[in-house]
Amino acid sequence: MRSGRNTRLRLGTGVVVGAAALVAGLVQPAAAAGQQEAVAAGKPTGVKTVSTGWTMPWGTDWLPGGKSALVTERDSFKVYKATPAGARTVVGTVPYTRTTDAEGGLMGVAVDPRYKTNKYVYFMHTSTDGTRIARMTYDGTSLTGYKTLVRGIKKAIVHNGGRLAFGPDEYLYAATGDATETSLSQDRKSLNGKILRLTRDGKPAPGNPFGTLVYSLGHRNPQGLAFDTKGRLWSAELGESSRDELNLIKPGRNYGWPICEGRCAKAGMTDPKKTWKVSVASPSGIAIVDNAVYMASLRGERLWRIPIDPKNESVGAATSHYRGTYGRLRTVTKVPGSDQLWLSTSNADAWGGRPAGSDRILRVTIG
């Protein structure tokens, strides 16, 4: 089963745009006839290295004020405080984390919107009993007070999802994989193959469509979550062998897996807004700047830019940047207060084939 870590594909530099991309079969058209193409002003104009010496940095989220971010390393289970100037300090590890010797370990991190008063941060990680969502206290120096919020998410060697993000409603959203048991994605009683929505204490958030933690279903291995200026939730998802997806997530919707991969055209299923051949994507993290989704790609080794229209649900032509320049790209995070992104690599894993310490965090300017 493909999970975004197979043989890497290197293409020449350049940008795949509009009709050329459609002819090549790299990107499927998203809008129906007559829909207006989305327009976004900014595009990547420059990239610089923030820091080096990382080994599989997986999750990133900023602390209030934007002077530092928390960054997780998947296999070391360490949490770092990293600054825009490139300094980094270990602030702790997340207890009970266990690797799956592939894609599990310490994954997503999210800083509470009320961090200034409660000092809460949240993590998603694999453990001996499956995948957990946990809460800890970070006082600016060290992590303490581990508390499990959610258990019962099955784990596997691959397909563990792992991304966390707070929404504008101040509820926590979590992306879970199917743990290689495809039937779980269509099972409303299972927490796998879902996007979950929960309170700070791990309870189902008010208004959830089924009265449980489940917010949407029919996902294979979603690893990207981001909210746009209208408060809409977007998610990137790794397909199996045909199509990777960018989805606009709505409560109670079924996104098709394993009945469909990519576009479905079946009653009760919601189609993705954009799809890619797996060889050019294998998406992980996403971020939104200036009405465009930026999607980090593992196997595709590039950063995709997809304009979205804030007035409707249409998306524009996807273009790619930095193809093959930095290797596998894992996480992309908006820098607070500026049109910039932090972009982390994922080359020091079994599929990147590079030694420990060879990953880095880059800063991309959107101009």
Side-chain angles (χ1 to χ4, degrees):
M1 290 190 179
R2 193 191 69 86
S3 55
R5 78 281 183 208
N6 295 345
T7 304
R8 295 179 295 154
L9 176 68
R10 290 186 179 275
L11 300 179
T13 57
V15 177
V16 181
V17 183
L22 301 179
V23 171
L26 301 182
V27 182
Q28 289 185 348
Q35 281 186 314
Q36 181 181 1
E37 181 176 302
V39 177
K43 294 181 180 180
T45 58
V47 58
K48 294 183 178 180
T49 297
V50 174
S51 59
T52 60
W54 295 90
T55 302
M56 287 178 285
W58 206 101
T60 302
D61 201 13
W62 288 87
L63 292 159
K67 294 182 178 179
S68 61
L70 295 181
V71 180
T72 62
E73 277 193 336
R74 189 182 70 191
D75 285 4
S76 71
F77 317 150
K78 293 177 181 178
V79 182
Y80 290 82
K81 180 175 74 172
T83 72
R88 59 176 182 163
T89 306
V90 176
V91 297
T93 59
V94 176
Y96 310 108
T97 304
R98 299 291 184 274
T99 182
T100 65
D101 295 319
E103 294 181 0
L106 179 56
M107 298 174 290
V109 57
V111 176
D112 197 297
R114 301 184 185 182
Y115 171 81
K116 289 183 178 180
T117 56
N118 62 27
K119 304 301 181 185
Y120 288 158
V121 293
Y122 303 77
F123 300 98
M124 193 166 178
H125 67 92
T126 52
S127 188
T128 55
D129 57 359
T131 299
R132 298 184 186 183
I133 300 172
R135 189 181 76 201
M136 297 185 74
T137 299
Y138 175 59
D139 63 3
T141 302
S142 61
L143 289 167
T144 58
Y146 177 96
K147 179 180 180 180
T148 301
L149 300 183
V150 178
R151 281 189 173 95
I153 307 169
K154 290 188 177 183
K155 70 172 182 178
I157 294 175
V158 294
H159 300 193
N160 294 302
R163 196 69 59 186
L164 295 175
F166 270 95
D169 56 7
E170 294 197 359
Y171 293 115
L172 182 62
Y173 293 73
T176 71
D178 66 8
T180 71
E181 296 183 41
T182 59
S183 63
L184 297 179
S185 297
Q186 291 294 320
D187 182 356
R188 290 186 184 181
K189 295 180 181 179
S190 170
L191 298 180
N192 286 87
K194 309 293 190 299
I195 291 175
L196 310 179
R197 179 172 175 261
L198 55 143
T199 68
R200 289 176 171 82
D201 295 320
K203 305 298 182 183
N208 280 4
F210 310 116
T212 66
L213 292 172
V214 174
Y215 190 70
S216 65
L217 66 153
H219 301 286
R220 181 179 180 269
N221 191 19
Q223 290 189 6
L225 296 175
F227 291 86
D228 65 19
T229 57
K230 296 298 183 181
R232 300 176 299 184
L233 176 60
W234 296 81
S235 176
E237 180 169 338
L238 294 111
E240 184 176 32
S241 58
S242 176
R243 290 286 166 178
D244 295 322
E245 301 176 0
L246 177 68
N247 289 298
L248 177 58
I249 303 300
K250 296 184 178 182
R253 294 288 183 91
N254 188 329
Y255 290 83
W257 178 255
I259 298 168
C260 308
E261 181 182 357
R263 300 191 183 283
C264 198
K266 289 184 178 287
M269 305 297 172
T270 299
D271 280 345
K273 292 296 180 182
K274 187 76 74 175
T275 68
W276 291 259
K277 284 186 175 181
V278 299
S279 59
V280 299
S282 299
S284 187
I286 63 173
I288 297 176
V289 175
D290 197 17
N291 292 323
V293 175
Y294 290 87
M295 185 177 82
S297 295
L298 294 163
R299 184 179 174 186
E301 296 189 350
R302 68 199 75 187
L303 180 68
W304 284 100
R305 175 183 178 274
I306 310 99
I308 57 176
D309 196 322
K311 298 179 181 178
N312 53 51
E313 296 183 1
S314 65
V315 301
T319 57
S320 65
H321 302 264
Y322 315 125
R323 285 190 286 179
T325 303
Y326 303 108
R328 291 159 56 83
L329 302 179
R330 170 68 67 181
T331 296
V332 56
T333 310
K334 185 184 184 304
V335 177
S338 67
D339 287 347
Q340 294 183 334
L341 302 167
W342 268 20
L343 179 63
S344 68
T345 69
S346 191
N347 294 312
D349 60 13
W351 300 278
R354 301 184 190 178
S358 60
D359 284 316
R360 52 180 157 170
I361 294 177
L362 307 163
R363 183 175 66 250
V364 178
T365 299
I366 309 299

